[in-house]
Amino acid sequence: MQLEGSRDGPHLYPLFHADGGQEVWTYLRDGPFRTMDEYVRHLDGFAGRHGLLAFVVREAASARPVGMSLIIHISDRTESVEIAYVLFAPDVHGKGVAFAAVQALLEYIFQDLGKMLCIWKCDSLNAKSAGLARKLGFRQTEEIKGDFVVKGRLRDSLVFQMQAQDWQAQDRSLRGSGMR
């Protein structure tokens, strides 16, 4: 579901700003945010940005927001996009929610958008993000040393890629195993 700052921000803010939730900001350029209003304005900034789609992830049983993610660098002129800003509430970590949500994003990217390549970049120190990329079937293709500054630290970025045909083979395998 498309993310709307004014609708989803008040639910997401406590997930990413309460005890245990602030760790999500360690590897990002922005956040944490001092107030919910500041956070909602930040989320509203994603709306209508060219080449960007923002999504809220809701828990299936309760429909409560539990995470968010972006697809960036969307263009009719390129065959690739990037998944970014993948954040999930601490209470759903390790429960398959992120895996299922990103699988749905990949389906959207390769089937609906018709892209041929999906890129995933993360801080080289973010073992959870790199682990999720690998579990999803992304292949690490490079490491960019000194990619940019995050909270006063020069960040090295790991770059992962997945091609459409790799996702299609993996998706068929998951469907055959009953996991999808």
Side-chain angles (χ1 to χ4, degrees):
M1 171 180 273
Q2 292 281 126
L3 179 105
E4 291 181 24
S6 57
R7 178 194 66 208
D8 301 315
H11 300 285
L12 292 171
Y13 182 80
L15 300 179
F16 304 138
H17 290 83
D19 289 340
Q22 290 188 337
E23 75 176 45
V24 302
W25 304 109
T26 303
Y27 306 108
L28 298 174
R29 292 180 211 192
D30 52 14
F33 297 88
R34 291 176 305 190
T35 67
M36 185 175 57
D37 289 341
E38 186 180 325
Y39 181 61
V40 167
R41 281 192 302 278
H42 168 72
L43 294 179
D44 282 340
F46 294 138
R49 282 185 43 195
H50 181 72
L52 182 148
L53 291 173
F55 297 93
V56 62
V57 178
R58 296 182 180 281
E59 189 174 58
S62 68
R64 79 176 173 104
V66 293
M68 64 170 291
S69 59
L70 305 177
I71 300 175
I72 61 175
H73 307 304
I74 302 169
S75 169
D76 292 338
R77 297 176 295 163
T78 64
E79 293 301 318
S80 66
V81 295
E82 182 178 334
I83 293 176
Y85 219 92
V86 178
L87 304 177
F88 288 90
D91 68 325
V92 300
H93 287 190
K95 295 183 179 175
V97 174
F99 184 88
V102 177
Q103 278 285 62
L105 278 181
L106 290 168
E107 182 173 344
Y108 180 74
I109 288 166
F110 293 127
Q111 289 187 345
D112 298 345
L113 294 179
K115 298 302 181 182
M116 301 306 295
L117 178 69
C118 182
I119 298 166
W120 178 295
K121 286 173 63 176
C122 66
D123 192 309
S124 64
L125 300 177
N126 190 344
K128 287 181 182 180
S129 183
L132 179 58
R134 289 182 180 104
K135 183 177 177 182
L136 285 157
F138 283 82
R139 293 189 185 114
Q140 185 178 337
T141 56
E142 68 180 301
E143 181 173 3
I144 303 170
K145 296 287 188 181
D147 195 15
F148 54 87
V149 175
V150 173
K151 297 180 174 72
R153 174 182 61 84
L154 193 56
R155 167 184 147 156
D156 296 339
S157 294
L158 301 179
V159 180
F160 296 87
Q161 295 183 351
M162 180 184 288
Q163 294 183 344
Q165 67 262 25
D166 297 331
W167 175 80
Q168 291 163 349
Q170 179 182 353
D171 188 55
R172 280 192 301 276
S173 175
L174 288 173
R175 287 179 195 275
S177 70
M179 291 181 64
R180 241 177 87 78

